[in-house]
Amino acid sequence: MKAALDIRDLSVDYHTRAGRLHALRNVDLLVPDGEVVGLVGESGCGKSTLISAVLRLLAENAEVPGGEIVLDGTDLLSLSDAEMRLRRGRDVSVVFQDPMTGLNPVLTIGRQMIDIQHREALSRAARRERAVDMLARVRIPDPASRMDSYPHELSGGMRQRVAIAMALMMNPKLLIADEPTTALDATLEVQIIELLQELQGEIGCAILFISHHLGVIAELCQRVVVMYAGSAVEEGGVRDIFHAPAHPYTKALLDCDPGRIRERRQTLPSIPGSLPDLTAPPPGCIFADRCTKADAGCGATQPPRIDTAPGHWATCHFAEAMR
Amino acid sequence: MSGPLLKLEGLHVRFSAARGIRSLLAGREKQTFDAVAGVSLEIEPGECLAIVGESGSGKTTLARAINGLTPIAEGKAWISGEPLHDKPDWTAVRRQTAMMFQDPVGSLSPRMTVRNLILEPFRIHGIAIGEPERKARKLLAAAGLSQEFLDRYPHQLSGGQARRVGVARALALDPALLLADEPTAGLDVSVQGEILTLLNKLRGELGLAILIITHNLNIIRHVADRIGVMYLGRLIETGPVEEVFANPAHPYTRALLAANPEPDPDARLTRIALKGEVPSLLARPKGCEFHPRCPWAHEDCATRAPDLASVSGARRKARCLHPFPDFECRSEAAGGK
Amino acid sequence: MSIAERSSFKYTAVGRLMSDPLAVAAVTIIALLVLCAVFADAIAPYDYKALNVRERFAPPSFVHLLGTDNLGRDTFSRLLFGARIALFVGLTSVGLAALIGLMLGMVAGFGPRWLDNAILFLFDTLRAYPTIILALALGALLPPGLGTVILVVVLTTFSEYGRVARTQTQALSAQEFIDAERAMGASPARILFMHILPNVLGPFFILAAINLPVVITIEAGMSFLGVGVAPGTPSWGATLKDGFDYIRNTPWLIVSGGIPLVLVTLGFTFLGESLRDVLDPKLRKER
C-alpha cells in the first residue's frame, strides 16, 4: 500500500516553564494514497501539534526528539526550510475550521486563486481559467463572477467551498482538513461533506480529516486513527473502529456520543477523570487512570501495539479481549 | 402558581441593519429586520423545551429577549404572570431566569475566582448570605465540583469544569427558569454526557424549567420534553420530542433531522438536499418562507403564507401548507428523494 | 498541559517578572533612580544651588564627579535633585492623565453612542494639537513652574489613555461574561467597576510605564525651551539647556545631563515590555 503520508514514531516536546511537555509520543499514522483517513480525538489529544508538525510550522518552543514524517516518499523533517516552503500548498495543503484563516480579507477570491499558482509556468489568462474551473468544481454557482467577490461577501458555506478550492488548486498529494465543518450548520455541513466525497473521487488526493464529530467521520472516512493525550491509541478501517473498537478509550468515546444513544436516558455516559499531566506522563498506559478495564499492569508497563485484524491495531494490553 | 411559567404571544425582536455611508448619503430609510418574528410559546413549571435552528434562526435572540438583554419590539410575554413587554423590573425578572451562555469559559469574568463567581448573584441582588463559604461549597457540590476549585480562575478550568461553574452560578438564586444557550457547545463528547446528566438531575431535584437553545439535535432527545424548530425567526414546528423525531411534519425539520450524520459507517442515510442557503432576514421570501429551499414545495407555497397550525393531534403544530402526515406516502410523492 | 493551579513563586506575576532579565535590569535602574530621588540630600556631595564662581566650568574630577556648570554648581548634585523633579512630574502627570483618560474612556466605551462621539471628538481635538505649541502657548500664559509642566503633560497625553480605555472597554463589553453579568441583573456601575475596570488596568499599567519617560522628556524639553520649571530649579532639562548654552566651555555637561534621561527611558520601556509579557493574558496562556 503506497502512502501519501506515513508518520512513524513521531514525538514532539514543548519546552514550557513547567518543564518539558511531551505533546506527542511515538505517534504512528498512515494515510494511504487516495484514501480519506479520519483523525478523532478530544481537546488535548495533540491534533493541532500533529498538523503543525506535518506542515513543519511548530511553535518556537517545540522540539522533535524523534520520528519521521514521510510525505510521498520524502521525510519532511530532513528538508531544508526552503524546500519545505515549496511543498506547502503544493504537496500538502490545509482547510481550516474557520475559512477566513486561509483567505485574505482584502483581496478578491479571484486574485487569491490566481496568486496561489505563482509557481506555475502559465499565462495570466490560463491561471484565471484554472481558478474559475476550480470554483466550479467546488459547486460555486456562477464562478466567473464570484472571482471578483471579496471573502466577506460570501456566506459561511460558500467561504468554506472557496477555501477548499484554494487548497485543491495545486493538486496536492495530501489535503489536511482541520474540522472544516464544525463552524457550519447541519444542513451546510452535509453539503461540505458530500462535496469532499465527490472531489476526492474526482481528484483522488488523500485526505486527513480531523474532527471530533463521530458521525461525520463515520460517513466520510475509510480509515480512522484515534488519538488520546498525545498518543495514537488505535488505528483501523472505519467499520473496525466503529463496530469492533479494540481500545477502551475508543469504545468509551463511542459510547458517550449522544447521537448513538437512541432511547431517552436520564443519565448519560461520560469518561470520568481528566487528561494526564503531559510534563510527567505516567510510566504505563496513558489512559490507565481513566480506564474501566485497567489493572495494576496497565499503570506499570506501556502496552505494545497489538494487531487485532489486518490493518487494525490498538495500544492496549486487552486489545484482543476487547473484540 | 397556576398557568404557564413562561408565555410568549407573537413576540418580535427587531434590529436595524447597519447602514453604509452610501445609503446614508442617499437618505434611504433605515432598514429593519425581525430576528424574532412573532413567536408564541408556553413553558410549564418544571418543563424542558428545546429550541432548535440554524444560525440566524433567531433562537438565541429569543432567549435574550426573555430576560431583557434585547428589547421586545412587539408582542407580549409573561413570566409567572408578570408582563415582560411593559417595562418590567428586569432585575427581579433576572432573579428567576438564570441564563447560561455559549462559551463555558468566556462567560465567566476572567479576574474572579470561582468562589466569587458563584457568589456574584447574591452580591448583585444584595442578598445577605449567612456563611458565604458554605453556600459556595454547597452550590459547587450541587454542580458536581469539589471545593478545591473555589480558588481557581476561569482560565485554569477545562470547558466541562467551567460549564459546571456556570450551572452552579445559575442555581444560586433558585430560579424558576434556566435559559441554556448551547449548553454543550465547545465541550468534548466525553463531557457532554456529564452536563446533560447534571441538567436532568437538577430538573428532577429542583423542579427547574429549562429552555435549551441548541443546534445539536443529538442531545435534545435526552433532556427535552418538547421541541420547537425555528427558521427565519419563526417557529415552524413544535411538539413532543419523541413524536417530532419519529415523524417530523415540516419539510425543514425533516431535512434538519436527515442532515445529522449517524455515527455508524453502515447507516443508510435518506438525505434531503435543501436548495441554496438560508435567505436574508432583510428579504424574506413571499408565501411560505421555506418554499425556495423546499424539495416538496407546491405551487401555492409561493403565494400563501402558512400559519403555525395543528397537525396530527393537538400537541403538535407545523407552519406548512402541506405537512407530512406520515413519511412513507410523502417520500413517494417527492420521488423518493 | 495540566491546568491545575501552580502557586509556587515561579508562577506568580512577580515571579514571572523576575525571571525575565530585561525586567530585572529595568527594576534595577528604576530602583536606583528612586533611591537617588529619595536620598538626594544624603547622597549629594554639595548643595545643588550653592554657587561657586571660582570653580565654574570645572571638568569632571574627584572633587566634582560630573564637573560644574556656568555658575560653578555641582552637576552631579543637581542631577540627583533633578531625579526628584523628574519623578514627581512624571508620576503626578502620568497618574492624573491616566485617571482622567480612564474615566472618560470607560464612559465613552460603555455609554450611549452620542456620549462616545462627544468624548472621541475631545480626544481627537487634543491629540491633533502639537505638544510643543501647546507647551509654548501655556508656558507664555502661565508662570513657569512644575504646575504648568504637569498641566501641559496631562492635557496632551490623557487622550491617549482615554483611547486605550475606550477600545478595551468596547472589546470587553462585547464579551460573553459581560452579557452574563447583565443577565444576572448586575447594574451598569457594577459591570463597569467590578468587571471591566480590572481587565482594563493591565494594559493601562503597560502604557503608563512606557509613557513615563516620555513625560519626563517633555518636562526636560519644556525646561530646555525655558517654559518649564522656574529658573534655578535643578531639572534635567535645565541642566541640558545649560550644557547646550555652554557647549564650547563644558562639553561634558550636555553628556552628563543626558545620561539620566537615557537611563530612565530604557528603564521604564523595559519595564513596560516585561509587564506586557506578564500581564497580557493572551501571551500568558500555557507557554
Side-chain angles (χ1 to χ4, degrees):
Chain A
M1 183 156 51
K2 200 168 164 290
L5 177 70
D6 188 359
I7 296 178
R8 292 181 206 140
D9 207 27
L10 179 71
S11 297
V12 175
D13 292 352
Y14 289 109
H15 296 281
T16 69
R17 284 176 198 274
R20 199 176 251 262
L21 189 142
H22 306 276
L24 291 183
R25 292 173 319 283
N26 312 98
V27 170
D28 291 330
L29 189 149
L30 184 77
V31 184
D33 250 351
E35 281 197 26
V36 186
V37 174
L39 178 57
V40 189
E42 301 187 285
S43 38
C45 75
K47 289 179 287 194
S48 336
T49 301
L50 190 85
I51 299 171
S52 310
V54 173
L55 295 171
R56 288 254 318 260
L57 293 172
L58 282 166
E60 253 175 55
N61 61 338
E63 187 191 321
V64 183
E68 287 177 9
I69 302 173
V70 182
L71 182 79
D72 197 36
T74 316
D75 182 7
L76 296 182
L77 295 176
S78 68
L79 297 179
S80 72
D81 286 349
E83 287 169 321
M84 186 62 216
R85 224 171 297 135
L86 284 174
R87 289 183 184 257
R88 278 186 218 124
R90 197 189 70 190
D91 290 351
V92 51
S93 56
V94 194
V95 177
F96 296 98
Q97 177 175 337
D98 177 2
M100 289 306 276
T101 313
L103 295 174
N104 186 335
V106 298
L107 297 181
T108 60
I109 306 291
R111 171 80 194 276
Q112 297 183 58
M113 302 230 14
I114 291 167
D115 282 357
I116 203 175
Q117 308 173 52
H118 67 102
R119 290 201 196 97
E120 303 285 293
L122 286 173
S123 71
R124 211 185 145 72
R127 285 180 190 178
R128 191 180 166 83
E129 200 175 311
R130 267 186 71 179
V132 174
D133 177 56
M134 198 64 227
L135 286 180
R137 289 179 88 166
V138 295
R139 325 288 188 254
I140 284 184
D142 196 7
S145 69
R146 275 296 169 209
M147 292 281 283
D148 300 323
S149 302
Y150 288 90
H152 70 87
E153 294 171 328
L154 304 178
S155 66
M158 281 300 151
R159 262 182 233 158
Q160 196 57 285
R161 283 168 193 267
V162 170
I164 292 171
M166 293 264 288
L168 295 177
M169 196 72 225
M170 305 303 293
N171 274 323
K173 304 276 182 331
L174 175 72
L175 174 71
I176 299 178
D178 185 7
E179 308 249 6
T181 61
T182 304
L184 299 176
D185 282 319
T187 51
L188 292 176
E189 180 174 48
V190 166
Q191 293 178 2
I192 295 293
I193 293 169
E194 286 179 347
L195 175 71
L196 280 174
Q197 271 173 332
E198 289 166 22
L199 286 176
Q200 205 263 335
E202 290 170 22
I203 296 173
C205 72
I207 301 179
L208 179 60
F209 188 90
I210 294 142
S211 179
H212 65 273
H213 194 327
L214 296 169
V216 175
I217 295 273
E219 182 166 351
L220 185 64
C221 303
Q222 283 112 45
R223 294 180 61 76
V224 179
V225 180
V226 183
M227 281 185 71
Y228 175 75
S231 299
V233 294
E234 182 167 1
E235 178 173 346
V238 67
R239 283 193 177 73
D240 289 332
I241 298 284
F242 278 85
H243 296 320
H247 197 285
Y249 174 66
T250 312
K251 183 161 186 337
L253 197 61
L254 290 171
D255 288 345
C256 281
D257 188 352
R260 274 168 72 96
I261 306 162
R262 314 297 328 200
E263 76 287 3
R264 187 190 180 103
R265 286 232 204 126
Q266 280 297 307
T267 308
L268 290 150
S270 61
I271 306 179
S274 53
L275 287 171
D277 181 359
L278 292 183
T279 52
C285 170
I286 189 79
F287 187 58
D289 64 333
R290 298 176 80 179
C291 183
T292 48
K293 280 193 161 333
D295 60 17
C298 294
T301 47
Q302 267 189 27
R305 199 171 125 163
I306 293 173
D307 290 297
T308 54
H312 182 199
W313 56 261
T315 54
C316 175
H317 293 298
F318 301 106
E320 291 291 348
M322 285 288 296
R323 283 174 68 91
Chain B
M1 187 169 50
S2 62
L5 175 66
L6 177 77
K7 186 175 162 74
L8 308 182
E9 253 182 38
L11 199 75
H12 283 256
V13 177
R14 197 156 292 148
F15 292 116
S16 48
R19 270 194 302 181
I21 204 148
R22 202 174 300 163
S23 69
L24 256 178
L25 290 176
R28 255 175 259 164
E29 283 276 305
K30 207 171 187 176
Q31 265 188 313
T32 61
F33 60 90
D34 287 10
V36 174
V39 168
S40 303
L41 58 82
E42 288 179 8
I43 298 179
E44 300 295 327
E47 190 190 27
C48 180
L49 171 70
I51 298 286
V52 196
E54 299 186 284
S55 36
S57 62
K59 55 190 194 305
T60 297
T61 311
L62 179 69
R64 293 171 64 92
I66 293 171
N67 69 359
L69 289 181
T70 35
I72 296 170
E74 231 178 88
K76 291 177 176 168
W78 296 266
I79 186 145
S80 315
E82 292 290 316
L84 300 180
H85 47 273
D86 191 23
K87 295 201 173 63
D89 175 4
W90 284 114
T91 313
V93 171
R94 287 166 185 172
R95 263 187 81 161
Q96 7 176 359
T97 56
M99 183 154 180
M100 278 160 55
F101 291 80
Q102 288 191 27
D103 182 346
V105 179
S107 54
L108 303 177
S109 195
R111 276 170 209 272
M112 281 195 153
T113 58
V114 168
R115 176 184 290 105
N116 285 327
L117 286 166
I118 292 180
L119 297 176
E120 179 78 358
F122 298 102
R123 296 186 177 141
I124 286 173
H125 294 277
I127 297 166
I129 338 161
E131 288 173 78
E133 191 64 23
R134 255 189 64 200
K135 189 83 199 172
R137 284 181 196 189
K138 215 179 123 195
L139 283 167
L140 207 55
L145 281 180
S146 62
Q147 49 171 315
E148 59 176 291
F149 287 94
L150 281 173
D151 291 308
R152 299 247 179 111
Y153 286 91
H155 72 267
Q156 296 167 320
L157 303 173
S158 71
Q161 291 160 352
R163 181 49 88 210
R164 282 173 185 272
V165 171
V167 172
R169 184 170 70 172
L171 297 178
L173 299 179
D174 275 321
L177 176 66
L178 178 65
L179 305 169
D181 191 1
E182 301 280 7
T184 57
L187 299 183
D188 281 323
V189 176
S190 68
V191 187
Q192 288 183 4
E194 281 181 29
I195 299 300
L196 298 177
T197 305
L198 177 66
L199 288 180
N200 277 336
K201 187 179 136 232
L202 295 173
R203 252 186 88 195
E205 287 172 4
L206 307 173
L208 192 66
I210 306 180
L211 179 70
I212 288 189
I213 310 288
T214 186
H215 71 278
N216 187 343
L217 293 161
N218 289 333
I219 68 165
I220 290 169
R221 108 171 75 213
H222 303 294
V223 283
D225 306 307
R226 283 191 303 131
I227 181 176
V229 184
M230 282 184 78
Y231 187 75
L232 292 183
R234 299 186 209 277
L235 278 172
I236 54 117
E237 178 157 10
T238 58
V241 171
E242 300 289 334
E243 289 178 37
V244 173
F245 268 61
N247 190 12
H250 196 286
Y252 177 68
T253 314
R254 194 153 284 250
L256 209 55
L257 285 168
N260 190 24
E262 290 278 318
D264 179 354
D266 294 327
R268 283 189 29 231
L269 292 175
T270 32
R271 270 284 151 64
I272 297 158
L274 293 183
K275 297 171 239 170
E277 300 197 12
V278 181
S280 158
L281 288 167
L282 287 164
R284 289 174 178 274
K286 294 253 172 347
C288 171
E289 291 176 347
F290 185 61
H291 88 266
R293 302 183 70 198
C294 182
W296 292 279
H298 292 52
E299 259 176 42
D300 57 343
C301 295
T303 49
R304 269 177 61 207
D307 284 327
L308 191 62
S310 291
V311 284
S312 57
R315 300 175 69 203
R316 296 192 53 187
K317 287 179 175 176
R319 190 185 292 276
C320 181
L321 295 172
H322 309 279
F324 283 90
D326 85 308
F327 184 56
E328 258 49 64
C329 73
R330 281 303 300 260
S331 60
E332 277 163 35
K337 191 79 211 263
Chain C
M1 178 158 179
S2 161
I3 38 177
E5 181 167 20
R6 304 172 198 270
S7 55
S8 68
F9 179 70
K10 236 176 117 179
Y11 297 101
T12 64
V14 178
R16 277 200 307 266
L17 197 62
M18 287 297 97
S19 66
D20 181 358
L22 202 64
V24 175
V27 170
T28 314
I29 294 174
I30 294 165
L32 269 176
L33 181 76
V34 172
L35 283 178
C36 287
V38 173
F39 297 109
D41 298 290
I43 306 170
Y46 298 90
D47 181 352
Y48 69 87
K49 40 185 199 296
L51 308 181
N52 189 342
V53 188
R54 248 181 297 168
E55 293 191 35
R56 292 175 63 202
F57 303 125
S61 67
F62 285 110
V63 184
H64 294 286
L65 279 176
L66 295 171
T68 59
D69 64 8
N70 56 321
L71 297 174
R73 296 174 298 195
D74 181 54
T75 309
F76 180 61
S77 303
R78 288 184 69 76
L79 289 178
L80 283 177
F81 282 95
R84 226 177 235 189
I85 296 168
L87 274 187
F88 174 73
V89 171
L91 291 175
T92 323
S93 46
V94 165
L96 274 176
L99 195 68
I100 299 172
L102 185 67
M103 291 300 158
L104 286 176
M106 282 188 16
V107 167
F110 198 69
R113 188 73 167 270
W114 62 267
L115 194 58
D116 184 26
N117 285 337
I119 294 174
L120 265 187
F121 183 74
L122 176 73
F123 288 170
D124 289 341
T125 314
L126 282 168
R127 259 197 97 76
Y129 218 88
T131 309
I132 225 66
I133 308 286
L134 190 70
L136 285 174
L138 281 174
L141 283 174
L142 301 170
L146 290 182
T148 313
V149 175
I150 291 172
L151 182 67
V152 168
V153 171
V154 169
L155 275 181
T156 48
T157 58
F158 83 86
S159 61
E160 194 179 336
Y161 297 96
R163 280 194 160 274
V164 171
R166 174 181 171 271
T167 316
Q168 289 279 330
T169 306
Q170 276 186 336
L172 286 163
S173 306
Q175 283 189 24
E176 222 166 45
F177 73 91
I178 297 296
D179 262 351
E181 291 296 327
R182 289 175 63 202
M184 280 188 283
S187 65
R190 187 182 178 86
I191 292 175
L192 207 51
F193 289 107
M194 299 287 292
H195 300 283
I196 290 183
L197 182 63
N199 292 293
V200 174
L201 281 182
F204 240 71
F205 280 123
I206 300 166
L207 187 66
I210 292 175
N211 256 349
L212 205 82
V214 177
V215 167
I216 293 174
T217 320
I218 295 178
E219 179 266 315
M222 285 179 67
S223 301
F224 185 90
L225 291 172
V227 292
V229 296
T233 317
S235 129
W236 291 343
T239 307
L240 266 181
K241 180 175 164 47
D242 290 345
F244 182 71
D245 285 347
Y246 302 100
I247 195 158
R248 282 171 202 285
N249 311 59
T250 58
W252 54 85
L253 203 55
I254 201 158
V255 177
S256 46
I259 290 171
L261 279 175
V262 172
L263 280 178
V264 165
T265 310
L266 286 179
F268 280 101
T269 311
F270 288 171
L271 183 70
E273 304 256 325
S274 328
L275 273 180
R276 176 158 45 208
D277 290 349
V278 172
L279 292 180
D280 194 327
K282 269 180 227 126
L283 290 171
R284 189 170 60 191
K285 254 186 199 161
E286 304 300 339
R287 278 288 288 261

